[in-house]
Every structure is written in C-alpha cells, then in structure tokens.
Amino acid sequence: MSVIQVEKALHDFAVKRMGSAIVLKGEWGTGKTYLWNSVIEKYRSNFARVNYSYVSLFGINSLADLKRSIFENTVPSKSAGVVTTKNSVVENIKKLDLSDAVVGLRKIFSHGREAKIPFVGSFGGVIDSIQYSMVTETIVCIDDFERRGNSLSARDVLGLVSNLIEKKNCSVILILNEGSLKPDDEFFTYSEKVFDYEIVFSPSVQESASLVFSPSGEARKIVSENAIKLKINNVRLLKKIDYFAGLLHERLNGCNELVQRQAYRTLPLAVLSIYGGNSAGVDIDFLLTYQGSLSGYRMPDDDRSPEEIRLLAELDLKIEYLQDYGFSSTDEFDVAIINLVRKGYADDQSMRDLVDALEVKIKHDEDIA
C-alpha cells in the first residue's frame, strides 16, 4: 500500500473506529512508527477515543510491567505525541488517591513491607490492579513487539490486547517488523483471533524520501534526489541524512554551488556506507580510498585463482556502482564529509579551509576553461 492509502487506513482506524485491533506491519526501518506519529499529529483532535497510550515492548519482561506502562503513558488524545512520558506519569499518579489506604495498610502490615494479601498478592499488586482498572476508552499503540523481553510471551500480549478491546472499550494498534518473528512464534497462532485486519506498509523510495525531506529548500531537494538515486527507503537512514544535511547547510550556505553539490552527493553515500549494512553498495573503507577507475586497474594475468577472480569481480561491481551514482573519486573534502557522519560533528576550521581551497580550485578550472 502507498503512503496515502496507509495513512487513510490509519486515520479511519483512529477517527472512525474501523476495527478494534489492527496490525501495522512492514520491513524494518520503512517508517511505520514515523507514519503513525504523523497521523497522530494531524488527527489527534478528532480521535474516537478520549485517551491515547504508546508503549514500546523493548525490555518489558512481564505482563504486569506492560499493564503498568500502558497506564503510565496514557494521555488525553488531544495531547497525544505532545505530553512527555514523565509528565504523563505524574498526571496519572495524581489520579490515584490512595493516601488513606496506604496509611491503613502500613499500620496492619508493618509499615510498608511487601505484605501478601489473599487472592491479590503483594501491596504492589493492588496498586497495579487499580492502575490497570483506570485504563479505558484509550487508543493503545504497542510497538517493538519482536523486541519484547524473553519472559513476556506473545500469548500474554495478545491476551491483554483482547482484554483491552473486549472489557476496556479500547482500540489497539500493534506495530510489527515483517519477517522479524520465527515461523513458529505464538503470534501467528493467536493473531487472527485478536486482530481485525492488517495494514502492510511498503513505501517506494520516492515515498520514503517525501516522508523525511522538506519539499522546500534547494539543499534538501538535492539531498533527496541523491538518496532516491541510491535507492534508500529506510527512514532511519534518511533521517540521519537529513540531520547531517542540516549541519552542512549551516557551514556551506553561500558557498559555490559546485561545492554544495559535491557535499550533498557525498553525504547520502557516506551514511549508506556506514549505517546501511547489506543494503550499501560499497563499504566505508573502500569509499575512503576510492580513486575512480584507477581503483580497479590490474595487470593482465591468466593464472589467477577462482578466489582472486571473485574478489576482482566484486571490486568491479563497486566501481560500477559509484560511477553510476556519479561519484568520480574521493578527495579531502569528501573525507571531511565522511568524518562528519562518522563522528557526528565537524571541525569547523578544517572544513572552512577545505571549502576555501575547493572554491579556489573551481575558480581556477573555470578560468582555464
């Protein structure tokens, strides 16, 4: 489904209550959470439920922890995506008027020690039960399902989802990385009984870029075009590129256009090579030492081993990849851009010196021409 279609489906779920529990799934890094957050920002004032709660399962190891997290992160829908977790926790704790109960229980159970109460357990269990009982009329977003703790089973999570929609008058959206679960995961056994339907998010490269890059500004336009040329559709990578493009814009604003174009051509390639893993056409070590077609020069030799032939074929593919992209060779300025990405900051004086030297060279070449 395209971005527009998925956004409409998410809007209908949140605003029109089309489905009580749904799954938003797609490949890792395609921007599922990013898109859902944009839907929140656009339509939260019209949400069909009065409350909203976002929960990441990363590091959550028990059903009690999950219930507590849903309560602590609950905010009014109109404040979804705005109120910080700390503020939401404080506001929700204020709703719990347990002062009299705490005083009484302390007197009975030795001043606050974890006393056991028949049919309930410890006093902490009482608090958890009261907290969870207050979760009603809420859109609950459960993210990072595949990163849940080892002690929290898929059956427990889906059982809670079922309870939320059947007993708590809630709506639930679960965000899932496609292909991240083992074929025998309990999720596949119980999901059809819990979720009304699934929304598959598989944006094109152009759509992914449009999610991240601002349509205004020549610099962002150049960066976006180069990211599309490299076929980058991972939103996490695109957001890194956008971040570093902002840092470069501060330093290159007003520079020669050719300097800017070189920087914004090298930047997406550097981010992809460093953070792209298997999706990168070249590794960062090769990029740092790349000298155009000279990098692939070799003397004729008919006695190469099969392994040598394979390595040379891989080398030729890397050179072809960079040439198709329009990257001729790596100079000092390119290395400075790469180091900006690797370190997260730039040496302003060194960058300025390189820019000045590059502008002088460009002026000299123009004069010769």
Side-chain angles (χ1 to χ4, degrees), residues 333-344:
F333 185 57
D334 296 316
V335 172
I337 302 300
I338 293 170
N339 285 333
L340 167 66
V341 176
R342 297 177 82 173
K343 298 177 181 178

Side-chain angles (χ1 to χ4, degrees), residues 171-187:
S171 299
V172 179
I173 175 171
L174 185 141
I175 300 178
L176 179 68
N177 285 328
E178 197 165 18
S180 62
L181 301 178
K182 296 179 180 179
D184 60 348
D185 194 284
E186 288 183 325
F187 173 83

Side-chain angles (χ1 to χ4, degrees), residues 113-186:
R113 288 202 298 266
E114 282 291 294
K116 296 294 182 180
I117 304 174
F119 310 110
V120 175
S122 68
F123 181 50
V126 176
I127 302 298
D128 289 342
S129 297
I130 295 173
Q131 289 178 342
Y132 183 65
S133 70
M134 299 178 69
V135 177
T136 58
E137 271 292 326
T138 304
I139 294 178
V140 180
C141 176
I142 299 177
D143 202 354
D144 298 316
F145 179 80
E146 63 283 343
R147 301 172 74 188
R148 68 190 185 275
N150 294 330
S151 300
L152 181 62
S153 69
R155 182 188 303 184
D156 286 339
V157 176
L158 298 190
L160 181 64
V161 171
S162 181
N163 180 265
L164 286 168
I165 60 179
E166 293 176 7
K167 306 295 184 182
K168 298 290 197 172
N169 201 27
C170 294
S171 299
V172 179
I173 175 171
L174 185 141
I175 300 178
L176 179 68
N177 285 328
E178 197 165 18
S180 62
L181 301 178
K182 296 179 180 179
D184 60 348
D185 194 284
E186 288 183 325

Side-chain angles (χ1 to χ4, degrees), residues 52 71-76 79 81-95:
Y52 173 75
F71 167 78
E72 291 174 347
N73 290 286
T74 298
V75 297
S79 301
V82 178
V83 176
T84 65
T85 301
K86 178 181 177 181
N87 289 339
S88 68
V89 171
V90 171
E91 290 302 315
N92 289 326
I93 288 176
K94 288 179 180 178
K95 299 175 185 176

Side-chain angles (χ1 to χ4, degrees), residues 173-289:
I173 175 171
L174 185 141
I175 300 178
L176 179 68
N177 285 328
E178 197 165 18
S180 62
L181 301 178
K182 296 179 180 179
D184 60 348
D185 194 284
E186 288 183 325
F187 173 83
F188 300 109
T189 303
Y190 300 103
S191 61
E192 290 186 5
K193 301 175 183 178
V194 176
F195 297 102
D196 299 310
Y197 56 90
E198 295 182 345
I199 301 172
V200 181
F201 185 46
S202 54
S204 67
V205 173
Q206 289 81 1
E207 288 175 326
S208 296
S210 68
L211 282 174
V212 176
F213 296 108
S214 170
S216 60
E218 185 65 21
R220 291 301 199 280
K221 180 182 178 183
I222 295 172
V223 173
S224 177
E225 289 172 351
N226 287 330
I228 291 171
K229 191 181 293 186
L230 289 169
K231 296 181 173 57
I232 303 174
N233 71 340
N234 186 304
V235 170
R236 288 182 175 88
L237 294 181
L238 292 172
K239 289 172 72 175
K240 286 182 184 293
I241 294 169
D242 185 57
Y243 168 74
F244 287 116
L247 295 183
L248 282 175
H249 182 70
E250 297 174 4
R251 294 162 173 80
L252 302 181
N253 192 26
C255 291
N256 186 291
E257 182 183 349
L258 292 178
V259 174
Q260 296 188 46
R261 285 190 172 276
Q262 179 176 344
Y264 296 136
R265 180 176 60 249
T266 304
L267 175 60
L269 185 60
V271 171
L272 181 60
S273 299
I274 295 170
Y275 298 106
N278 294 332
S279 63
V282 295
D283 57 89
I284 191 60
D285 291 332
F286 180 82
L287 183 60
L288 282 167
T289 59

